[in-house]
């Protein structure tokens, strides 16, 4: 009942799949149709196919990773046997799923351990529980006559290998295994999840705890080109989200990037409680600014403003005037904005274009020091990520139902979770390399405000340190001079833009990419605060300049109860406004004129100007 079928993966072991990476073994076996696994040509000179085998005991089984084959209702176990070879085994749970009453995680786990103890003896309860919970969720989603009738009939123990091995005491065999190849659809297989070498705290001294290394993220689970050619599939990546617990090591890495290496070394360093807030709309702005998000307290404006910008962009994109959107459309646009930000960050990643969403696994207060006690959800399609924000898990972690409830605010860390998700998605090392000084990179700067790197990460998907176009090199004239300093800016036209008061003081340069984004929506930076400016049509004010343009200003912290519509007349002034004329040339006016010139005339149309 516990037949082992190893897939040796090192280049010195003779095997039908000897040259493929171990992750590809499983994928190749599952993806190839037919009654048996065909030989795959290797890159090893004079590679031989050898059906030899050896006998090992149950004590020799060392599970390394777990996964799910959802379509077959099976747990996938990747394990190590003597000699360092790796193998894969299926634990078929169809009978349990059909017979257990009541059907829940606890009863399914007890049954699985009782019947398949040889394979699961060293797997911690918490990891096995999370795997079974995902399987039960899938079964419930696929419940119905059609899904039930489509379930294949399989033996209780099916393993993918050309040779059979049995543990001593259970029975030995010298016969070759009968191998069943299983066709796979996009929703079928979840990537294997590491069983780490750290002893589990709640595994009864019996097993190991799961961990997911964000900073050391593995390569995507995909078939090599040669195996894909044999299988006839272009892309076999699954779309089911994968949940793991964020390790303390990865949480520490994010903390060091959050505060900077020096500040993070102080164990007492934490963000103030003002950073504890979830995503919601401003009740006071419901009539005049129904699109407007609420920033409960000062501090996280560098996170809120980019999301507000993407929210408005989405409304413009679907043809809904932000000034007239209803509550349902606004809630959907908020979720689209969060999805867009995280998916953009994932797409900009050079290592693995997948999204990690962190949801609270402990009290929100703990998030002020870093993403400790969080779970990591990895998504494989934009559609699935968007759907997840409608689900109960992410909804409870990210959104606030009653904006005026102070107690609820302090229990929610949705704003911080977005920043942590973006950092984890991009990868800690990749974020550091985006910055001018990688070892000094940080997301939170002086007075607990966001750095430019953090804002750029959410606006462009890349944590560049500057806002000019491209890259600038200072110092040596030689391209690779040792005395040369490289300053990194914006590499391409973004979806939304950025304007800064500091440019009016000639302290920085904002490049054309940020000034003329794909959509006429801008995040404004004035002193230490971020707000939003946008045109009322996608055709206005983005690529070209019109003689006259209406834009709307919104500050999520401002509790706005009136519409701030500004009519910009390009070259409408004969002389530049007085630097000290706060009525006509306040901070927001100065920021706007960095985009439309110093001679732009601004009419606030009867509303009180924001200085």
């Amino acid at each position: 009942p516990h037949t082992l079928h190893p897939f040796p993966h090192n280049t010195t072991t003779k095997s039908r799949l000897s040259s493929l990476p171990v992750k590809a073994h499983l994928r190749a076996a599952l993806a190839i149709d037919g009654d048996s696994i065909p030989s795959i040509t290797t890159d090893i000179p004079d590679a031989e196919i050898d059906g030899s085998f050896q006998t090992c005991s149950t004590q020799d089984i060392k599970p390394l990773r777990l996964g799910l084959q959802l379509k077959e209702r099976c747990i996938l176990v990747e394990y190590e046997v003597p000699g360092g070879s790796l193998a894969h085994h299926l634990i078929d749970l169809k009978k349990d799923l059909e017979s257990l009453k009541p059907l829940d995680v606890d009863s399914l786990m007890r049954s699985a351990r009782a019947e398949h103890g040889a394979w699961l003896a060293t797997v911690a309860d918490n990891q096995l529980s999370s795997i079974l919970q995902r399987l039960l969720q899938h079964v419930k989603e696929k419940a119905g006559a059609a899904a039930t009738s489509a379930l294949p009939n399989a033996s209780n123990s099916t393993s993918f290998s050309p040779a059979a091995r049995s543990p001593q005491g259970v029975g030995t065999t010298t016969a070759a295994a009968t191998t069943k190849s299983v066709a796979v659809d996009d929703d079928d297989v979840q990537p294997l999840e590491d069983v780490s070498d750290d002893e589990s705290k709640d595994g009864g001294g019996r097993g190991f705890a799961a961990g997911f290394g964000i900073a050391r993220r593995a390569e995507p689970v995909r078939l090599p080109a040669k195996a894909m050619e044999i299988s006839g599939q272009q892309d076999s990546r699954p779309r089911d989200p994968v949940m793991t617990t964020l390790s303390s090591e990865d949480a520490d890495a994010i903390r060091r990037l959050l505060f900077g290496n020096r500040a993070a070394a102080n164990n007492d360093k934490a963000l103030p409680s003002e950073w504890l807030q979830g995503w919601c709309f401003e009740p006071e702005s419901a009539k005049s600014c129904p699109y407007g998000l609420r920033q409960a307290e000062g501090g996280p404006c560098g996170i809120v403003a980019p999301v507000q910008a993407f929210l408005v962009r989405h409304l413009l994109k679907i043809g809904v005037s932000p000034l007239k959107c209803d509550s349902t459309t606004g809630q959907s646009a908020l979720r689209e904005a969060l999805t867009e930000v995280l998916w953009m960050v994932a797409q900009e990643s050079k290592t693995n274009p997948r999204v990690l969403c962190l949801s609270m696994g402990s009290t929100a207060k703990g998030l002020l020091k870093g993403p400790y006690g969080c779970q990591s959800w990895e998504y494989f399609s934009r559609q699935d990520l968007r759907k997840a924000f409608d689900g109960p898990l992410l909804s409870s972690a990210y959104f606030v139902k009653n904006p005026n409830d102070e107690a609820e605010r302090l229990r929610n860390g949705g704003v911080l979770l977005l920043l942590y998700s973006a950092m984890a998605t991009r990868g800690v090392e990749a974020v550091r390399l985006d910055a001018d000084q990688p070892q000094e990179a940080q997301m939170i700067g002086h007075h607990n405000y966001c750095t430019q790197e953090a804002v750029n990460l959410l606006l462009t998907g890349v944590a560049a340190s500057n806002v000019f176009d491209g890259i600038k090199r200072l110092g040596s004239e030689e391209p690779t001079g040792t005395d040369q300093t490289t300053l990194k800016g914006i590499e391409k036209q973004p979806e939304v833009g950025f304007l800064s008061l500091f440019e009016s003081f000639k302290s920085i340069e904002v490049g054309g990419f940020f000034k003329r984004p794909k959509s006429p929506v801008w995040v404004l930076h004035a002193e230490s605060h971020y707000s939003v400016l946008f045109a009322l049509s996608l055709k206005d004010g983005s690529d070209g300049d019109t003689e006259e343009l209406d834009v709307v200003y919104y500050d999520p912290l401002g509790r706005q109860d009136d519409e701030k519509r500004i009519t910009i007349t390009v070259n409408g002034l004969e002389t530049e406004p007085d630097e000290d004329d706060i009525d006509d040339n306040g901070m927001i006016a100065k920021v706007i004129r960095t985009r439309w010139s110093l001679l732009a005339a601004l009419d606030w149309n009867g509303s009180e100007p924001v200085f």
Side-chain angles (χ1 to χ4, degrees):
H2 303 298
T3 304
L4 303 175
H5 302 297
F7 272 170
H9 77 286
N10 57 64
T11 56
T12 60
T13 304
K14 299 175 181 179
S15 169
R16 301 173 74 179
L17 299 175
S18 57
S19 73
L20 292 178
V22 64
K23 287 184 180 180
H25 292 173
L26 179 61
R27 301 299 301 169
L30 293 175
I32 300 172
D33 293 322
D35 295 329
S36 62
I37 301 175
S39 301
I40 295 180
T41 304
T42 72
D43 296 326
I44 304 174
D46 302 321
E48 298 181 31
I49 296 175
D50 188 349
S52 63
F53 54 88
Q54 66 181 26
T55 298
C56 63
S57 68
T58 55
Q59 286 74 28
D60 293 324
I61 302 171
K62 299 178 182 179
L64 299 178
R65 297 191 299 169
L66 294 179
L68 284 174
Q69 188 184 354
L70 296 174
K71 190 175 181 180
E72 290 288 300
R73 310 296 198 259
C74 294
I75 295 177
L76 296 168
V77 182
E78 180 179 87
Y79 58 94
E80 182 181 355
V81 293
S85 297
L86 294 181
H88 298 101
H89 178 77
L90 281 184
I91 294 176
D92 190 344
L93 297 177
K94 284 195 295 296
K95 291 182 180 179
D96 294 322
L97 291 169
E98 294 170 358
S99 61
L100 286 177
K101 304 294 182 185
L103 181 57
D104 54 33
V105 172
D106 290 339
S107 60
L108 189 58
M109 184 160 63
R110 286 194 298 269
S111 178
R113 286 204 182 279
E115 189 171 354
H116 307 283
W119 304 99
L120 302 172
T122 58
V123 176
D125 283 345
N126 61 341
Q127 184 170 23
L128 181 58
S129 175
S130 68
I131 290 288
L132 294 176
Q133 187 173 13
R134 178 66 196 102
L135 178 60
L136 283 177
Q137 178 184 347
H138 176 80
V139 170
K140 291 177 181 178
E141 291 173 353
K142 301 296 183 181
T148 302
S149 62
L151 291 178
N153 294 321
S155 63
N156 194 45
S157 184
T158 305
S159 299
F160 302 113
S161 177
R165 303 178 187 180
S166 297
Q168 292 176 349
V170 179
T172 58
T173 177
T174 57
T178 301
T179 307
K180 181 178 183 293
S181 182
V182 183
V184 175
D185 59 33
D186 284 343
D187 292 322
D188 192 10
V189 178
Q190 270 192 275
L192 292 171
E193 173 185 316
D194 290 342
V195 178
S196 76
D197 292 332
D198 299 326
E199 292 188 5
S200 172
K201 294 181 180 179
D202 57 354
R206 177 176 60 193
F208 303 101
F212 182 78
I214 291 176
R216 309 171 305 284
R217 191 181 314 167
E219 293 298 316
V221 183
R222 302 182 66 176
L223 286 171
K226 193 171 294 184
M228 289 175 65
E229 182 179 352
I230 294 173
S231 70
Q233 294 194 14
Q234 296 300 313
D235 192 339
S236 298
R237 286 180 296 178
R239 291 183 295 186
D240 292 292
V242 176
M243 186 277 286
T244 54
T245 299
L246 193 68
S247 70
S248 59
E249 181 182 9
D250 290 325
D252 286 341
I254 292 178
R255 171 181 166 81
R256 288 192 294 271
L257 179 58
L258 182 72
F259 294 116
N261 288 327
R262 294 180 182 177
N266 178 3
N267 292 331
D268 294 329
K269 176 65 177 178
L271 289 166
S273 61
E274 286 78 8
W275 272 80
L276 287 180
Q277 46 190 286
W279 297 99
C280 62
F281 287 85
E282 174 55 64
E284 296 182 28
S285 304
K287 292 183 178 180
S288 59
C289 311
Y291 57 85
L293 294 177
R294 176 187 177 91
Q295 181 184 332
E297 301 286 348
C301 52
I303 312 299
V304 177
V307 173
Q308 179 71 77
F310 276 99
L311 187 159
V312 170
R313 171 188 172 273
H314 175 74
L315 292 174
L316 295 176
K317 187 177 179 181
I318 64 175
V320 174
S321 170
L323 305 181
K324 298 179 180 180
C325 77
D326 56 36
S327 175
T328 300
T329 304
Q331 290 289 347
S332 176
L334 171 56
R335 286 153 176 78
E336 288 286 350
L338 296 175
T339 301
E340 181 65 21
V341 168
L342 289 175
W343 195 251
M344 171 191 63
V345 174
Q347 292 297 302
E348 289 296 333
S349 172
K350 297 179 181 180
T351 56
N352 191 355
R354 298 174 180 177
V355 173
L356 295 170
C357 276
L358 304 178
S359 57
M360 287 187 296
S362 59
T363 62
K365 185 177 180 180
L367 295 174
L368 296 175
K369 286 191 173 184
Y372 297 101
C374 287
Q375 293 175 336
S376 167
W377 287 85
E378 186 173 10
Y379 293 88
F380 299 89
S381 75
R382 190 189 186 283
Q383 181 182 6
D384 286 345
L385 177 62
R386 172 61 185 86
K387 287 167 58 179
F389 278 115
D390 285 330
L393 179 68
L394 296 189
S395 290
S396 62
Y398 279 77
F399 305 114
V400 169
K401 293 181 179 180
N402 186 354
N404 293 317
D405 187 339
E406 180 70 3
E408 183 181 4
R409 177 184 75 82
L410 294 174
R411 291 194 301 266
N412 194 290
V415 171
L416 261 176
L417 287 174
L418 178 70
L419 176 60
Y420 292 152
S421 297
M423 295 166 67
T425 299
R426 180 67 172 159
V428 169
E429 292 306 314
V431 172
R432 289 191 180 280
L433 292 175
D434 289 339
D436 289 347
Q437 297 176 298
Q439 295 308 311
E440 297 182 17
Q442 59 192 87
M443 300 290 100
I444 304 298
H446 296 299
H447 309 295
N448 293 311
Y449 295 136
C450 289
T451 63
Q452 191 66 54
E453 287 85 352
V455 175
N456 283 350
L457 177 64
L458 299 179
L459 288 177
T460 70
V462 178
S465 298
N466 305 282
V467 292
F468 50 68
D469 291 346
I471 294 176
K472 293 186 177 183
R473 293 181 172 86
L474 308 178
S476 173
E477 296 183 359
E478 296 295 327
T480 58
T482 56
D483 296 331
Q484 193 175 77
T485 299
T486 300
L487 305 179
K488 302 170 185 176
I490 308 305
E491 294 284 355
K492 60 184 179 181
Q493 186 184 30
E495 295 294 337
V496 298
F498 178 86
L499 303 174
S500 177
L501 176 66
F502 289 127
E503 186 175 34
S504 71
F505 300 146
K506 304 187 186 304
S507 300
I508 65 171
E509 172 193 344
V510 178
F513 286 149
F514 261 157
K515 288 183 177 178
R516 291 174 170 78
K518 293 180 181 179
S519 302
V521 184
W522 296 266
V523 169
L524 306 189
H525 183 215
E527 294 292 350
S528 58
H529 189 55
Y530 296 90
S531 51
V532 175
L533 187 79
F534 60 91
L536 294 173
S537 169
L538 287 176
K539 299 178 181 179
D540 294 335
S542 183
D543 293 330
D545 289 330
T546 57
E547 185 173 327
E548 189 172 278
L549 171 70
D550 277 358
V551 294
V552 176
Y553 173 81
Y554 181 75
D555 178 6
L557 186 61
R559 307 292 188 266
Q560 284 185 212
D561 56 5
D562 65 334
E563 177 186 303
K564 305 289 186 184
R565 187 193 296 248
I566 308 168
T567 300
I568 301 174
T569 303
V570 179
N571 296 321
L573 300 177
E574 294 183 358
T575 59
E576 295 179 4
D578 188 338
E579 175 70 21
D580 298 323
D581 184 357
I582 191 172
D583 291 331
D584 189 50
N585 198 27
M587 286 194 298
I588 300 304
K590 284 184 172 67
V591 176
I592 292 174
R593 288 189 171 105
T594 64
R595 167 64 178 80
W596 283 277
S597 86
L598 290 174
L599 294 177
L602 307 181
D603 183 357
W604 288 77
N605 295 300
S607 65
E608 184 178 351
V610 178
F611 300 122

